[in-house]
Amino acid sequence: MSIRHFVRFTAAGRILMIPVRFALFGVPPAWRQLRLAARWVFASKEYYNWTYDLTDLNQAYLASYVAVVTGHSLPSIEAYLAELKHDEALRQILRERTLASPDRHSCDVEPRYGRRIGWYAIVRATKPRVIVETGVDRGLGTAVIAAALAKNAAEGAPGTVYATDIVADCGHLVAAPYKKYCELLIGDSIDLLKKFTLPVDIFIHDSDHTPEYEWSEFQAIASRLHPDSLVMSDNSALTSKLRDFANQRGLDFLFFQDQPKDHWWPGDGIGTAFTLGKKVYFPHLPATVT
Ligand SMILES: C[S@@+](CC[C@H](N)C(=O)[O-])C[C@H]1O[C@@H](n2cnc3c(N)ncnc32)[C@H](O)[C@@H]1O
């Protein structure tokens, strides 16, 4: 009997292979994670809401993802991603705000946007008038969105991000000149969403990540959505609630999985409920003369 036959086709061979398979296939990826975690624990100061860059391949896939959910061309989305990548003024403000904050001993100074670059490209491409983001924390996502809104405003398509958080002193990264594109709403998201009266072009769930709370947010904002609204979730790596909501409203759903660069965290992602094949652009009507 050959070794190959013994290993593949006998019970004794299967048992003999258990430690061999563990050493060959189980240990190397676990060892890689351990090395990354050991390096990270000294290189980073974070203890929640991990920030990281995406791998180059993952960024390319994110561009394709954004092109599909917005209906815009891939080159235009890639141009928006490049615009953010080269926005040194925004990075500098984020560094300064971090260094000036009491959180500086538990936050990293260098901004790493991760999947938020996808949020940026979506906002730049579709030119929303009203965005609601639940969950602000330090305000990294809010600042990135506000930076996209500042560029949109310069092109004649202004908008505002209404960002909710239960913590009163959240959002210290959102500073001038981006602050004027952002309104922070402090309180429980669901209470605030129920009182929100404006039609919402883009909704982003990124607050309490329990499935029940995520679902309740979608229900609370549902009456403010219109047929072109994009509904996004930062929680779709963990729950199917946005997919369920898309089904409920007859929308399509796609999920993008983050692939962090040099980080032990497996990554979050972007879920989007949208209409496949529709080019999303929120019209900015010229002011009417009264
Ligand atoms: C994951 S962080 C938000 C991250 C942020 N969007 C970003 O881009 O970095 C979640 C935030 O949700 C807030 N939060 C938790 N429960 C909430 C609730 N019931 N209402 C509003 N905000 C809540 C937390 O205070 C926390 O700041």
Side-chain angles (χ1 to χ4, degrees), residues 48-51 113 115-116 119 133-145 164-168 170-171 173 185-192 204-209 213 217 234:
Y48 78 110
N49 197 15
W50 320 122
T51 65
Y113 304 135
R115 66 202 163 285
R116 299 174 190 83
W119 301 1
E133 178 203 21
T134 64
V136 176
D137 190 30
R138 302 162 59 227
L140 185 57
T142 318
V144 164
I145 292 168
T164 74
D165 205 293
I166 206 154
V167 174
C170 67
L173 292 179
L185 308 174
I186 303 302
D188 177 73
S189 285
I190 292 173
D191 293 343
L192 293 166
I204 304 173
H205 160 80
D206 194 9
S207 60
D208 178 335
H209 283 332
Y213 197 89
E217 278 196 1
D234 206 63

Side-chain angles (χ1 to χ4, degrees), residues 257-276:
Q257 173 68 54
D258 276 3
Q259 203 171 67
K261 193 181 197 171
D262 300 329
H263 203 290
W264 57 269
W265 175 245
D268 298 291
I270 304 177
T272 309
F274 69 110
T275 302
L276 188 61

Side-chain angles (χ1 to χ4, degrees), residues 1-10:
M1 188 191 303
S2 68
I3 292 180
R4 180 175 171 275
H5 188 279
F6 174 71
V7 163
R8 288 194 65 181
F9 303 121
T10 70

Side-chain angles (χ1 to χ4, degrees), residues 9-263:
F9 303 121
T10 70
R14 188 222 157 202
I15 290 168
L16 192 78
M17 281 303 285
I18 287 173
V20 177
R21 284 166 50 238
F22 180 67
L24 284 181
F25 307 119
V27 170
W31 177 244
R32 176 182 179 272
Q33 289 302 96
L34 202 64
R35 273 194 0 249
L36 286 172
R39 195 188 316 153
W40 164 85
V41 90
F42 293 103
S44 169
K45 294 177 272 179
E46 294 176 344
Y47 61 94
Y48 78 110
N49 197 15
W50 320 122
T51 65
Y52 44 80
D53 289 319
L54 306 181
T55 65
D56 291 346
L57 180 65
N58 201 223
Q59 288 185 42
Y61 289 169
L62 179 53
S64 296
Y65 174 86
V66 172
V68 170
V69 301
T70 61
H72 288 249
S73 72
L74 181 58
S76 69
I77 300 301
E78 287 172 337
Y80 291 133
L81 293 179
E83 177 182 272
L84 177 62
K85 188 175 179 177
H86 297 116
D87 191 341
E88 190 50 36
L90 173 63
R91 279 179 194 283
Q92 191 51 29
I93 286 173
L94 294 174
R95 287 185 199 111
E96 285 166 11
R97 296 294 291 186
T98 300
L99 285 169
S101 102
D103 281 357
R104 63 187 175 281
H105 301 297
S106 55
C107 292
D108 294 341
V109 174
E110 195 55 36
R112 294 180 294 259
Y113 304 135
R115 66 202 163 285
R116 299 174 190 83
I117 66 174
W119 301 1
Y120 182 91
I122 288 173
V123 173
R124 287 290 282 132
T126 64
K127 311 278 187 277
R129 300 149 299 191
V130 173
I131 303 171
V132 174
E133 178 203 21
T134 64
V136 176
D137 190 30
R138 302 162 59 227
L140 185 57
T142 318
V144 164
I145 292 168
L149 290 173
K151 289 266 194 304
N152 286 354
E155 293 170 6
T160 302
V161 53
Y162 297 85
T164 74
D165 205 293
I166 206 154
V167 174
D169 62 353
C170 67
H172 63 256
L173 292 179
V174 188
Y178 309 106
K179 206 177 175 127
K180 64 179 174 196
Y181 304 101
C182 167
E183 270 197 40
L184 288 181
L185 308 174
I186 303 302
D188 177 73
S189 285
I190 292 173
D191 293 343
L192 293 166
L193 296 179
K194 284 181 180 160
K195 290 185 214 143
F196 199 76
T197 54
L198 299 171
V200 175
D201 292 331
I202 297 182
F203 177 78
I204 304 173
H205 160 80
D206 194 9
S207 60
D208 178 335
H209 283 332
T210 58
E212 300 73 25
Y213 197 89
E214 182 184 1
W215 181 253
S216 300
E217 278 196 1
F218 297 144
Q219 298 308 316
I221 203 65
S223 66
R224 295 289 145 238
L225 301 175
H226 55 76
D228 287 344
S229 302
L230 295 174
V231 183
M232 295 159 63
S233 176
D234 206 63
N235 209 24
S236 297
L238 299 176
T239 85
S240 64
K241 292 303 168 191
L242 182 54
R243 185 174 178 274
D244 300 343
F245 184 66
N247 286 341
Q248 186 186 66
R249 293 180 69 90
L251 297 170
D252 297 295
F253 172 81
L254 267 188
F255 174 64
F256 166 81
Q257 173 68 54
D258 276 3
Q259 203 171 67
K261 193 181 197 171
D262 300 329
H263 203 290

